[in-house]
Amino acid sequence: MKKIIYMFLVLAVAASCSAKEPEGQKKMDRFIDGLMAKMTLDEKIGQLNLSGGDIPGVLSGSEGLEDAVRKGLLTSTGWSSVTELRKLQDIAVNESRMHIPLMCGLDVIHGFGTIFPIPLASSCSWDTTLIEKSARIAAIEASSNGCNWTYSPMVDIARDARWGRIAEGAGEDPWWGAKVAAAMVRGYQGKDLADSNTILACVKHFALYGASEAGRDYNTVDMSRLEMYNDYLPPYKGAVDAGVGSAMSSFNLVEGIPASGNHWLLTDLLRKEWGFNGFVVSDYDAIGEMTSHGLGDKQKVSAIALKAGVDMDMMTNGYVTTLKKSLEEGKISQKDIDVACRRILEAKYKLGLFDDPYRYLDEKKAKENFMTKENLEFARLIAQKSIVLLKNDGKLLPLRKEGTIAVVGPMAFTTQDLLGMWSGTNDQNSATIVEAFQEAVGDNARIVSAQGCHFTEDPMLAAASGLKVDPAENERLIKEAVSKSAAADVVVAVMGEPRSWTGEACSRSDISLPASQKDLLKALLKTGKPVILVLANGRPLTLEWEDSNFKAIVEAWHGGAEAARALSDVLFGDVNPSGKLTATFPRTVGQIPIYYNAKPTGRPCNPKDHYTSQYLDITNEPLYPFGYGLSYTEFTYGELKLDNASLKGDKAELTASIDVTNSGDREGEEVVQMYIGDPVASISRPIKELKGFQKIDLKPHETQTVSFIITTGDLEFYDSSLKRVWEPGDFQVYVGTNSRDVKSKTFNWQK
Ligand code: BGC
């Protein structure tokens, strides 16, 4: 009876009034004040503990989970199934003393049930509407299936393709990264977290994780604040400005202090400077790992993390096992615990969990909103838009649906690898590429297929990813593929990376196609048949040899549940490709880190002058620059025009315009990109930085004038005192089809 009365009271107090409104905020504060007044210290600390790991005497792995929930030692649980989650929620709200509901967090990175292209791929769509919609669908599916918190968006700027986690973010550009981050947050969190089809987003990995030295995961980072503010922090800030409800502190060091124990980062910058008002969760055991970083034992690092601003401990169980002692010893204060506990209770309140702890646990809704036909159709659309045409000499593409087409290569026979990292093994009703081709051509053409080779014959790489090495079998596969290809009219070779080579803990020192795949490609070239190279992978690869030997190359990425059908739509020309790279493709791994928004050097590269910034054995230029991508049609750029070349004051606006003509014979989309350079400033500035783009659709022979309005906001940067400023003087505007092929003009802007 007592329980029922309690629940009634909880419901009456919490009854929905969005915490976004001032009245709602007051109501939430009163509710949480009331709740916290009744909570014991242990219960408060329990709210800071994300499930998992060991709590001596209570929890060991999943053993003792129910008991830990009953004792109020866990705040959130991992995802399992609606039925399982309901059982745990029952225990939390009926059997724990304070009846506080659990949250349920999961890595919903590029879709929940319906898997979309990996984030690096979808960022190549240059379409925030599509990206936001993918996050919205993910949120609807996740929230209907018991998950109300995603550890996404991952917005780490990455300039090093050796790092496997480059797959999880939007590439190398801070301006675009911030736009994508905001779109994802809007998609997940919707208009109001109080709606039952929205989920809490978590921006990660705060901060600078993408700069892991040598591209090796979990490695150290060291960076100037100038570089942080101008190049690495903008996407996190984009998420904060969009109202992200939680943030994850990263594994790496920031200025010598682990991010998860860095007060400057988590409190001074994130909260005080940026106004973030959600909660911070540590990355997986990032608090415990501070011991390896040399900061002390579990008790000490847990206290450091709490004081720095980590509200929730993921997997270390350091808070739940040591904070009480630290409090007794005066190492932390009651206020430190209360502040963190309040932030987490606020998130639960905003999610509506105190109103109805079961609102995300409806079996019927779970089925209804899972991988619907519409969601899969959308997955196909966004996968089409993510594909980047890298080369198409002699218009080898699109293919015609006729004759005999050989589809060969290890990526042509898999559905799971096309899903990409962080995607579980749900049955997506996906097609393999061979199946998708067959569906596309019907009876009009003959498809022959062969696996062609193993992903790799390299023993170390194979062992690390659970693959078998068998050179004799590889030889046999190559022969079989060659004989089938020799009898075909055209060959489509689908190569790349299995998903186990990309994502977390998947750094590669060599990012070329492995020898086994290259051997197959060489053998296919010898047949004399036209060979189209398709790549399905999770990072930029080094493709110099491929670029010199193949006339047509398509970057299809790990495109998700409908990757294969989307690819076949593009290869057969039902869809004209329009994706543009958001990460530079180096020629060799030795060029890394390589990115378009580099600073000038004191001795710019001059091949005629030995003592300039260059390599002896390779050009400085990447193979495919940032922003690069072709279409089946051609776009011609006219003259870049400025409506004014000398401006004054903060209110002034400059219009840069250019005529873009579809000079080919097919309708197509083009991403017209605008970059700005600031050649003379108080600090050395990048030669050019992306500041805008427009995606236009042009019919054959149609011309459109594309205009960009430039304001002083586009000239701003952080100066050496970390003030956001713009400095008067000459500037350069560049407009073009990628970051390399641009038209430019100079303008002058005075205060
Ligand atoms: C990853 C995070 C992820 C977390 C929980 C960590 O190892 O770095 O990105 O959210 O695990 O799965």
Side-chain angles (χ1 to χ4, degrees):
M1 184 61 182
K2 226 161 119 194
K3 249 180 242 162
I4 295 169
I5 293 173
Y6 177 83
M7 278 314 290
F8 176 75
L9 280 176
V10 167
L11 290 178
V13 182
S16 209
C17 168
S18 170
K20 275 186 154 180
E21 315 298 328
E23 239 342 278
Q25 172 80 36
K26 278 195 210 139
K27 208 166 174 183
M28 175 175 78
D29 291 346
R30 278 197 302 275
F31 173 74
I32 293 174
D33 286 344
L35 199 59
M36 285 184 60
K38 298 192 198 93
M39 288 169 78
T40 62
L41 178 59
D42 285 329
E43 284 162 345
K44 285 179 181 171
I45 294 175
Q47 287 304 307
L48 318 187
N49 189 37
L50 184 58
S51 73
D54 270 341
I55 308 176
V58 187
L59 183 69
S60 168
S62 59
E63 192 107 340
L65 188 61
E66 294 187 359
D67 205 29
V69 173
R70 199 170 286 119
K71 290 193 163 96
L73 297 178
L74 299 178
T75 192
S76 169
T77 176
W79 185 81
S80 46
S81 67
V82 171
T83 320
E84 284 303 310
L85 290 169
R86 179 176 277 277
K87 251 199 241 162
L88 286 179
Q89 194 70 305
D90 269 341
I91 297 173
V93 296
N94 295 323
E95 297 179 38
S96 77
R97 200 185 70 88
M98 289 306 296
H99 317 281
I100 298 174
L102 293 165
M103 286 198 298
C104 173
L106 181 71
D107 289 281
V108 179
I109 306 295
H110 51 120
F112 176 82
T114 308
I115 298 298
F116 303 114
I118 55 168
L120 180 61
S122 56
S123 73
C124 294
S125 70
W126 295 60
D127 189 330
T128 48
T129 309
L130 288 183
I131 292 169
E132 178 173 339
K133 187 164 175 196
S134 71
R136 185 85 289 279
I137 292 173
I140 292 170
E141 291 192 348
S143 60
S144 306
N145 280 275
C147 166
N148 41 44
W149 180 26
T150 174
Y151 310 133
S152 169
M154 185 285 214
V155 305
D156 304 323
I157 292 292
R159 295 170 167 178
D160 189 335
R162 291 172 297 181
W163 191 51
R165 303 199 77 168
I166 194 171
E168 293 179 54
E172 71 192 35
D173 183 63
W175 182 89
W176 178 230
K179 301 267 178 241
V180 173
M184 304 261 309
V185 171
R186 287 195 304 269
Y188 290 134
Q189 299 193 164
K191 288 201 188 66
D192 196 334
L193 277 179
D195 298 335
S196 64
N197 65 5
T198 54
I199 59 178
L200 191 72
C202 181
V203 62
K204 72 185 189 186
H205 304 84
F206 194 61
L208 322 180
Y209 185 32
S212 285
E213 271 183 13
R216 209 175 69 226
D217 213 359
Y218 315 117
N219 202 5
T220 200
V221 172
D222 200 2
M223 186 184 291
S224 72
R225 284 217 185 164
L226 259 187
E227 186 159 24
M228 288 184 210
Y229 272 74
N230 283 314
D231 298 316
Y232 278 79
L233 295 177
Y236 308 106
K237 183 157 189 306
V240 170
D241 291 344
V244 70
S246 67
M248 185 183 290
S249 61
S250 55
F251 293 123
N252 54 279
L253 304 187
V254 173
E255 296 183 317
I257 302 172
S260 300
N262 194 314
H263 188 275
W264 169 75
L265 182 75
L266 300 180
T267 299
D268 300 340
L269 176 69
L270 181 64
R271 292 193 184 279
K272 295 190 185 150
E273 208 171 306
W274 291 358
F276 171 72
N277 65 3
F279 70 86
V280 174
V281 61
S282 76
D283 202 345
Y284 194 106
D285 196 27
I287 296 179
E289 288 173 16
M290 281 161 52
T291 301
S292 309
H293 284 300
L295 268 82
D297 64 11
K298 199 189 234 188
Q299 183 187 345
K300 186 153 179 229
V301 295
S302 300
I304 292 174
L306 183 73
K307 288 204 94 62
V310 176
D311 304 300
M312 192 188 285
D313 166 5
M314 186 197 289
M315 289 307 285
T316 296
N317 278 324
Y319 282 6
V320 81
T321 55
T322 70
L323 285 189
K324 209 170 170 184
K325 187 155 179 263
S326 292
L327 181 63
E328 281 157 18
E329 292 170 0
K331 306 265 168 44
I332 59 166
S333 67
Q334 181 66 49
K335 189 167 165 221
D336 294 329
I337 294 174
D338 286 351
V339 165
C341 179
R342 176 176 293 272
R343 287 180 187 143
I344 291 158
L345 293 174
E346 280 180 1
K348 292 187 177 184
Y349 183 98
K350 288 178 187 162
L351 283 168
L353 283 165
F354 287 109
D355 269 354
D356 176 5
Y358 301 100
R359 65 197 318 236
Y360 302 98
L361 298 169
D362 174 343
E363 269 92 354
K364 189 164 158 271
K365 220 166 124 191
K367 283 206 193 87
E368 274 167 16
N369 287 333
F370 191 71
M371 287 173 56
T372 60
K373 192 165 154 279
E374 293 74 32
N375 294 357
L376 286 164
E377 272 165 17
F378 178 76
R380 184 163 176 169
L381 174 73
I382 189 167
Q384 291 164 351
K385 303 284 182 183
S386 306
I387 292 171
V388 184
L389 179 63
L390 296 175
K391 194 171 173 193
N392 192 22
D393 285 1
K395 297 208 168 164
L396 215 53
L397 286 170
L399 295 171
R400 282 196 292 269
K401 294 177 184 170
E402 61 184 34
T404 301
I405 304 170
V407 183
V408 301
M411 282 308 274
F413 289 82
T414 162
T415 53
Q416 298 301 319
D417 286 313
L418 290 175
L419 293 178
M421 38 96 235
W422 285 127
S423 53
T425 51
N426 282 329
D427 176 12
Q428 302 279 322
N429 191 26
S430 304
T432 64
I433 291 171
V434 173
E435 287 161 355
F437 265 57
Q438 193 60 68
E439 275 175 27
V441 300
D443 295 332
N444 299 318
R446 197 169 145 247
I447 303 292
V448 293
S449 61
Q451 188 194 325
C453 66
H454 291 150
F455 279 116
T456 184
E457 285 294 322
D458 177 272
M460 191 165 163
L461 181 57
S465 44
L467 300 169
K468 279 205 199 90
V469 170
D470 184 346
E473 168 69 1
N474 199 60
E475 272 302 302
R476 194 196 62 73
L477 290 172
I478 292 180
K479 278 201 188 111
E480 182 199 359
V482 166
S483 101
K484 287 194 176 164
S485 299
D489 299 304
V490 61
V491 183
V492 177
V494 198
M495 304 296 175
E497 299 179 289
R499 64 176 174 167
S500 55
W501 295 1
T502 76
E504 187 174 351
C506 291
S507 298
R508 292 180 64 199
S509 74
D510 175 356
I511 54 169
S512 60
L513 287 178
S516 60
Q517 299 192 41
K518 276 197 178 153
D519 287 348
L520 170 63
L521 290 176
K522 284 176 196 157
L524 292 175
L525 286 172
K526 280 201 196 127
T527 63
K529 299 287 172 180
V531 184
I532 285 136
L533 174 59
V534 173
L535 298 158
N537 45 289
R539 55 158 59 79
L541 300 172
T542 49
L543 300 167
E544 268 228 302
W545 174 80
E546 290 79 355
D547 186 69
S548 339
N549 285 284
F550 291 85
K551 285 190 168 158
I553 307 180
V554 176
E555 178 53 80
W557 304 112
H558 290 158
E562 288 294 327
R565 294 188 182 99
L567 175 69
S568 117
D569 295 336
V570 166
L571 292 188
F572 287 112
D574 300 321
V575 168
N576 192 350
S578 58
K580 301 267 192 173
L581 300 178
T582 56
T584 303
F585 274 45
R587 289 173 187 273
T588 71
V589 93
Q591 290 181 314
I592 291 174
I594 186 166
Y595 48 95
Y596 87 94
N597 50 341
K599 307 221 176 35
T601 76
R603 295 193 184 188
C605 170
N606 175 2
K608 292 201 193 102
D609 184 350
H610 184 69
Y611 292 99
T612 60
S613 181
Q614 58 193 320
Y615 300 103
L616 293 178
D617 54 353
I618 193 154
T619 146
N620 287 3
E621 292 307 308
L623 184 62
Y624 305 123
F626 175 86
Y628 175 84
L630 305 174
S631 161
Y632 293 151
T633 188
E634 279 105 53
F635 298 101
T636 315
Y637 282 67
E639 197 198 329
L640 176 61
K641 293 184 190 142
L642 304 185
D643 69 339
N644 190 352
S646 97
L647 297 105
K648 208 171 158 46
D650 272 311
K651 301 250 151 40
E653 281 181 356
L654 164 65
T655 304
S657 46
I658 196 159
D659 282 352
V660 182
T661 303
N662 180 347
S663 39
D665 51 9
R666 250 172 204 274
E667 182 173 352
E669 287 179 326
E670 166 74 334
V671 179
V672 183
Q673 302 158 40
M674 190 270 285
Y675 300 82
I676 291 182
D678 183 359
V680 183
S682 59
I683 59 167
S684 188
R685 306 272 301 115
I687 294 165
K688 55 170 97 87
E689 293 179 301
L690 181 70
K691 292 292 172 185
F693 71 88
Q694 281 180 45
K695 196 168 176 179
I696 55 169
D697 189 325
L698 294 182
K699 300 244 167 8
H701 312 297
E702 188 186 345
T703 297
Q704 190 176 316
T705 304
V706 177
S707 299
F708 295 97
I709 296 179
I710 298 166
T711 68
T712 55
D714 299 314
L715 311 179
E716 282 178 4
F717 62 96
Y718 289 95
D719 70 7
S720 57
S721 56
L722 301 179
K723 269 218 315 279
R724 195 148 174 87
V725 297
W726 68 274
E727 295 175 350
D730 282 345
F731 298 88
Q732 203 79 20
V733 54
Y734 306 86
V735 177
T737 182
N738 62 56
S739 63
R740 181 190 60 200
D741 302 316
V742 285
K743 306 258 169 133
S744 83
K745 276 266 151 76
T746 303
F747 59 92
N748 182 283
W749 209 311
Q750 295 299 324
K751 289 268 169 182

